[in-house]
Amino acid sequence: MVHRRSAERLRDLCCANRGTFIKVGQHLGALDYLLPEEYTSTLKVLHSRAPQSTMEEIQQVIREDLGKEIEQLFVSFEDRPQGAASLAQVHKAVLKDGRTVAVKVQHPKVRTQSSKDILVMEFLLKGVHWLFPDFAFMWLVEEAKRNLPLELDFLNEGRNAEKVAEMLKHFEFLKVPKIHWDLSTKRILTMDFEEGGQVNDREYMKKHGIDVNEISRNLGKIYSEMIFVNGFVHCDPHPGNVLVKKCPKSNKAQIVLLDHGLYQALNEDFRLDYCRLWQALMKADLKNIERYSRRLGAGDMYPLFACVLTARSWTSVNAGISQTPVTNSEDTEIRTNAARYLPQISDLLNKIPRQMLLLLKTNDLLRGIETTLQTRASASSFINMSRCCVRAVATYKRTKAQSRSQRMRIGLSEAITLWQINMYELFLWIKGSMLGGWIISLLRFIQYTH
């Protein structure tokens, strides 16, 4: 009861102060491994129910940045926003040539207020830390200081959108809205309008004949490719930023990725250590779990780091997370231990590299989507990660190879490993299919008759 009341007061505080406070509240709402459920469930509403700017304020921003009135730029412009977030809100509009666009307009006072908000938060957190030394959340302020200027520059967001669209163009199921640069500034971003339901809306998917498992699998492919292969990661995959829809031309399911303001660029050494750590986690290779956790800054806290990273118990990590399904009792154990080890977790978060913090946030948001879709820790997600890790490490080794024969050996080893993964995936498919059921029944019958 106390947690719920405190969480509601914190949510109301974020809504009253808007901007940066909502951004930090959203981040806290994603810390499922760290905070009690009452906090995360209460603060998650900040992703979709942030306070709105008035239409007069929106008109003023457009007038100042584009130099014209709304009526001169658009045939129609809906007063009611499609959605309001911490830094901006999005309106549906129609251009003079008839194309429908989404116009993202920054809340007018966010830019000037954000630096003051961060100073206030820094002061408050230092005061709380002085009263309660175990409370160590200064990394939240440091992240806000570093990331807010980038998120407030919508031209940077547009460039990120184009970069990721080019980077992942081989995924036909991914849609990144096209940017209209002639109607974009640092405070306004105009892009193609995309319909769709939120990625955690099972009812929408059922209604439109979209396979939940396919969506979860494809979302895993997108993020595995970004993290392990390219090292350029969209770090805000909350459900409001990930839409699903049926493509009207092909009738195939598509994922629409929105809000490209917050990306993490991973340096090569970090990315490869992270690849090898996940490979070790999937194989229950405790020696390399320790080795690469230490290389990533966890030190002697590597068991706790492995648990935070995977949101699994140390027992499951020892057994191999790809072999051990998630249970309700394990989730309860994780939450209980998170409360018990809060000081140690806070200390760990202050020690690890800054780029790891955004990856942890990304992991938590993706894990939340999988939990809602009831596809969490499915074998397919680990298979996608395994493929990307193998490709990433092999690509790196090829760049360091001294001879053609070395490169050939690396390529052969990569091909064999990927073939083994494909065979394992085929085995799982047969095992889960009707054919697999028949084969198992036949083998049991043969065994019984003999």
Side-chain angles (χ1 to χ4, degrees):
M1 191 68 185
V2 174
H3 280 326
R4 178 70 63 186
R5 186 171 67 244
S6 300
E8 288 172 353
R9 288 175 178 173
L10 183 57
R11 178 201 61 203
D12 294 341
L13 172 71
C14 291
C15 288
N17 287 282
R18 307 174 71 169
T20 311
F21 281 84
I22 289 178
K23 202 73 191 170
V24 173
Q26 289 174 344
H27 199 149
L28 289 171
L31 299 178
D32 293 289
Y33 60 85
L34 185 59
L35 297 177
E37 190 274 336
E38 292 87 350
Y39 280 90
T40 55
S41 61
T42 301
L43 294 173
K44 272 184 171 69
V45 304
L46 295 173
H47 285 301
S48 55
R49 298 182 199 168
Q52 298 177 9
S53 293
T54 65
M55 196 56 206
E56 288 74 21
E57 289 173 321
I58 295 300
Q59 288 173 327
Q60 183 63 27
V61 173
I62 290 175
R63 190 181 300 121
E64 289 174 2
D65 281 33
L66 296 177
K68 293 182 180 179
E69 299 295 329
I70 285 178
E71 297 78 15
Q72 296 174 281
L73 298 167
F74 306 99
V75 173
S76 66
F77 190 99
E78 292 185 1
D79 289 358
R80 186 185 179 88
Q82 295 287 310
S86 54
L87 306 181
Q89 61 194 52
V90 178
H91 292 260
K92 187 177 181 181
V94 178
L95 299 176
K96 299 290 185 180
D97 60 10
R99 286 178 294 174
T100 304
V101 292
V103 186
K104 181 175 179 178
V105 185
Q106 196 171 110
H107 298 308
K109 298 174 185 175
V110 164
R111 188 178 293 274
T112 53
Q113 192 64 35
S114 60
S115 55
K116 297 173 187 173
D117 289 344
I118 290 171
L119 285 174
V120 170
M121 270 189 278
E122 192 168 18
F123 174 77
L124 291 173
L125 287 174
K126 281 181 177 177
V128 173
H129 181 58
W130 180 74
L131 291 170
F132 306 100
D134 286 344
F135 183 92
F137 275 69
M138 289 310 297
W139 55 272
L140 269 175
V141 176
E142 290 168 16
E143 283 302 288
K145 273 183 180 177
R146 194 165 67 92
N147 294 320
L148 261 177
L150 295 173
E151 291 188 81
L152 288 168
D153 182 357
F154 288 177
L155 294 177
N156 176 64
E157 179 178 343
R159 289 189 291 269
N160 286 342
E162 290 193 340
K163 181 175 179 177
V164 82
E166 176 63 24
M167 193 173 78
L168 302 179
K169 63 183 179 183
H170 54 286
F171 289 142
E172 294 182 358
F173 55 78
L174 175 63
K175 181 79 174 173
V176 177
K178 178 189 171 189
I179 305 299
H180 295 261
W181 290 107
D182 57 324
L183 292 172
S184 297
T185 67
K186 285 194 171 186
R187 294 195 299 169
I188 299 168
L189 189 66
T190 305
M191 67 205 93
D192 284 352
F193 183 83
E194 298 291 345
E195 302 275 5
Q198 290 194 1
V199 70
N200 62 345
D201 190 342
R202 288 176 61 89
E203 286 302 312
Y204 176 90
M205 289 191 235
K206 184 179 178 181
K207 180 181 176 183
H208 291 84
I210 297 172
D211 184 351
V212 170
N213 291 305
E214 181 188 355
I215 291 297
S216 182
R217 186 164 57 248
N218 287 343
L219 190 62
K221 285 181 182 178
I222 291 167
Y223 273 87
S224 292
E225 192 87 10
M226 281 196 275
I227 293 168
F228 300 115
V229 178
N230 295 292
F232 186 66
V233 190
H234 179 284
C235 289
D236 208 7
H238 70 75
N241 288 341
V242 186
L243 305 182
V244 293
K245 68 172 188 173
K246 271 285 183 74
C247 176
K249 292 180 180 178
S250 65
N251 205 36
K252 292 181 180 178
Q254 284 187 320
I255 294 174
V256 183
L257 199 57
L258 306 173
D259 198 344
H260 300 270
L262 185 57
Y263 271 76
Q264 178 68 68
L266 309 179
N267 67 52
E268 187 173 69
D269 289 342
F270 177 94
R271 179 174 61 84
L272 290 166
D273 285 341
Y274 193 63
C275 276
R276 288 170 171 139
L277 173 58
W278 270 104
Q279 286 180 309
L281 287 165
M282 287 183 277
K283 295 175 184 175
D285 180 351
L286 298 183
K287 181 181 176 182
N288 278 326
I289 288 173
E290 177 180 355
R291 179 187 178 189
Y292 291 109
S293 293
R294 287 184 180 277
R295 287 181 61 141
L296 289 167
D300 291 336
M301 302 173 80
Y302 69 88
L304 180 62
F305 179 58
C307 294
V308 168
L309 186 59
T310 60
R312 304 296 301 272
S313 66
W314 184 241
T315 303
S316 294
V317 171
N318 273 271
I321 56 171
S322 61
Q323 307 297 321
T324 315
V326 181
T327 62
N328 289 332
S329 61
E330 185 183 7
D331 274 342
T332 303
E333 180 188 345
I334 289 289
R335 286 191 179 278
T336 303
N337 286 338
R340 186 182 303 159
Y341 295 109
L342 180 60
Q344 291 91 334
I345 294 173
S346 296
D347 186 36
L348 174 67
L349 294 176
N350 276 303
K351 284 175 63 176
I352 57 178
R354 298 301 90 186
Q355 52 192 328
M356 180 60 76
L357 291 175
L358 280 180
L359 281 187
L360 287 175
K361 175 193 173 186
T362 305
N363 284 347
D364 291 333
L365 289 168
L366 291 172
R367 200 174 288 127
I369 291 170
E370 287 180 342
T371 300
T372 307
L373 297 181
Q374 298 170 12
T375 58
R376 186 175 163 203
S378 65
S380 64
S381 65
F382 293 118
I383 286 167
N384 289 327
M385 290 172 70
S386 295
R387 281 198 187 100
C388 287
C389 288
V390 168
R391 285 169 48 215
V393 172
T395 300
Y396 170 74
K397 286 181 177 177
R398 271 193 292 271
T399 64
K400 300 297 180 182
Q402 301 294 318
S403 65
R404 185 179 177 186
S405 61
Q406 276 186 320
R407 285 192 289 274
M408 286 178 67
R409 283 197 297 272
I410 293 164
L412 181 61
S413 174
E414 178 188 14
I416 291 170
T417 307
L418 290 174
W419 179 81
Q420 290 172 333
I421 292 171
N422 290 340
M423 289 300 100
Y424 179 61
E425 185 175 36
L426 179 62
F427 163 74
L428 291 177
W429 179 81
I430 292 172
K431 185 181 175 183
S433 68
M434 190 179 294
L435 175 63
W438 290 344
I439 293 171
I440 291 169
S441 299
L442 179 61
L443 291 173
R444 283 175 179 165
F445 174 76
I446 292 169
Q447 185 181 24
Y448 177 76
T449 54
H450 283 76

